[in-house]
C-alpha cells in the first residue's frame, strides 16, 4: 500500500505543479469595434520589480511568438508610474495601441487529503494498514489573476478575464501558462491580430 500511496501523492503534487490555467470569467466590451490590436504594452502589477520584469518579459515574448508587437512596460513606465501626465506621455511615446495589465486578485490556500481505501479482515492486517491509510495532507495556494486589455485611445477596458492556477515560484513558467491560455482567447475575440 505504501508504494502505491507514494506514487499517488507524487502524481497529485506533479499535477498541481503543472496544472493548466483555468479561465473563471471572461468579458469583451460589446461596443468595441476594433480593429484587432497589433501593438501592445504588457504591464505586470507586482511589488517585486524582479517578478514584474520576469512576467512582462515572458508575456511579451509569447505575444511576439503569436505575431503581435509587444513591449514590456518596465522599459517605458517606472515603478509607480509618476504623475498622471507623465504616465500619459510615457505610454504615448511607446506607440502601443493597447495595454495588457495583469494583477493578483487573491490567493487562497487549499488542502488536499489523500487516503487509500479501507482494509478490513483480520485485526493484525487491519492494524498495519490503518497506519498507512492515515491521510497525507498537502497544502497549496491557488492564485486568481485579473487580466485586462485597455484601449489606449479611449482609456477604457475592452477585454477582461479572471484566471486561476496553482501558485508557482517559477514566474516565467507561470507567465507562459497564462499567455498560452489568454492569447488564443484574445485572438478569437478579435482583440489582437
Amino acid at each position: 500500500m505504501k508504494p502505491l500511496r507514494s506514487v499517488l501523492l507524487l502524481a497529485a503534487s506533479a499535477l498541481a505543479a503543472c496544472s493548466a490555467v483555468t479561465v473563471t470569467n471572461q468579458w469583451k466590451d460589446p461596443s468595441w469595434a476594433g480593429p484587432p490590436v497589433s501593438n501592445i504594452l504588457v504591464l505586470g502589477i507586482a511589488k517585486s520589480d524582479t517578478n514584474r520584469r520576469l512576467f512582462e518579459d515572458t508575456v511579451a515574448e509569447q505575444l511576439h511568438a503569436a505575431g503581435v508587437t509587444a513591449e514590456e512596460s518596465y522599459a517605458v513606465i517606472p515603478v509607480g508610474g509618476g504623475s498622471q501626465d507623465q504616465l500619459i506621455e510615457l505610454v504615448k511615446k511607446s506607440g502601443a495601441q493597447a495595454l495588457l495589465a495583469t494583477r493578483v486578485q487573491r490567493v487562497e490556500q487549499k488542502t488536499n487529503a489523500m487516503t487509500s481505501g479501507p482494509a478490513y479482515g483480520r485485526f493484525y492486517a487491519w492494524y498495519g494498514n490503518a497506519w498507512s491509510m492515515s491521510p497525507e495532507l498537502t497544502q497549496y495556494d491557488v492564485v486568481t489573476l485579473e487580466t485586462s486589455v485597455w484601449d489606449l485611445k479611449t482609456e477604457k477596458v475592452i477585454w477582461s478575464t479572471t484566471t486561476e492556477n496553482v501558485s508557482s515560484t517559477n514566474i516565467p513558467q507561470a507567465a507562459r501558462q497564462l499567455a498560452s491560455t489568454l492569447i488564443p482567447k484574445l485572438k478569437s475575440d478579435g482583440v489582437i491580430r
Side-chain angles (χ1 to χ4, degrees):
M1 284 286 188
K2 279 192 174 185
L4 176 59
R5 172 184 245 167
S6 296
V7 169
L8 289 174
L9 286 171
L10 183 61
S13 298
L15 285 174
C18 298
S19 67
V21 173
T22 303
V23 174
T24 55
N25 294 298
Q26 184 176 329
W27 172 84
K28 180 185 173 197
D29 181 353
S31 67
W32 186 73
V37 173
S38 61
N39 188 344
I40 198 161
L41 195 59
V42 178
L43 172 63
I45 305 293
K47 291 203 184 270
S48 163
D49 191 49
T50 302
N51 289 348
R52 174 188 177 189
R53 289 171 181 261
L54 285 168
F55 176 84
E56 291 180 9
D57 286 342
T58 305
V59 172
E61 176 185 288
Q62 298 297 304
L63 284 162
H64 279 291
V68 177
T69 301
E71 183 178 7
E72 302 85 351
S73 73
Y74 70 77
V76 179
I77 304 170
V79 174
S83 72
Q84 184 174 347
D85 289 338
Q86 290 170 321
L87 182 60
I88 290 168
E89 192 57 36
L90 291 170
V91 170
K92 278 184 186 176
K93 283 182 183 177
S94 76
Q97 300 163 304
L99 183 136
L100 182 144
T102 300
R103 70 179 182 90
V104 174
Q105 199 172 54
R106 72 178 163 274
V107 178
E108 296 175 281
Q109 190 172 68
K110 304 268 182 158
T111 302
N112 188 20
M114 301 259 321
T115 60
S116 56
Y120 295 106
R122 298 187 182 262
F123 171 74
Y124 295 107
W126 172 87
Y127 181 78
N129 286 330
W131 290 102
S132 67
M133 291 185 309
S134 296
E136 294 281 341
L137 301 176
T138 54
Q139 291 186 325
Y140 57 96
D141 291 334
V142 174
V143 178
T144 301
L145 299 175
E146 178 185 63
T147 301
S148 302
V149 177
W150 296 76
D151 181 328
L152 292 175
K153 286 182 187 172
T154 64
E155 297 180 33
K156 292 184 178 179
V157 174
I158 57 173
W159 189 88
S160 183
T161 188
T162 53
T163 56
E164 287 185 350
N165 195 6
V166 174
S167 179
S168 171
T169 56
N170 185 333
I171 302 300
Q173 179 185 15
R176 275 190 295 279
Q177 288 176 338
L178 179 67
S180 68
T181 299
L182 297 185
I183 290 171
K185 292 185 177 302
L186 286 162
K187 284 187 176 244
S188 70
D189 282 350
V191 176
I192 61 174
R193 63 174 174 101

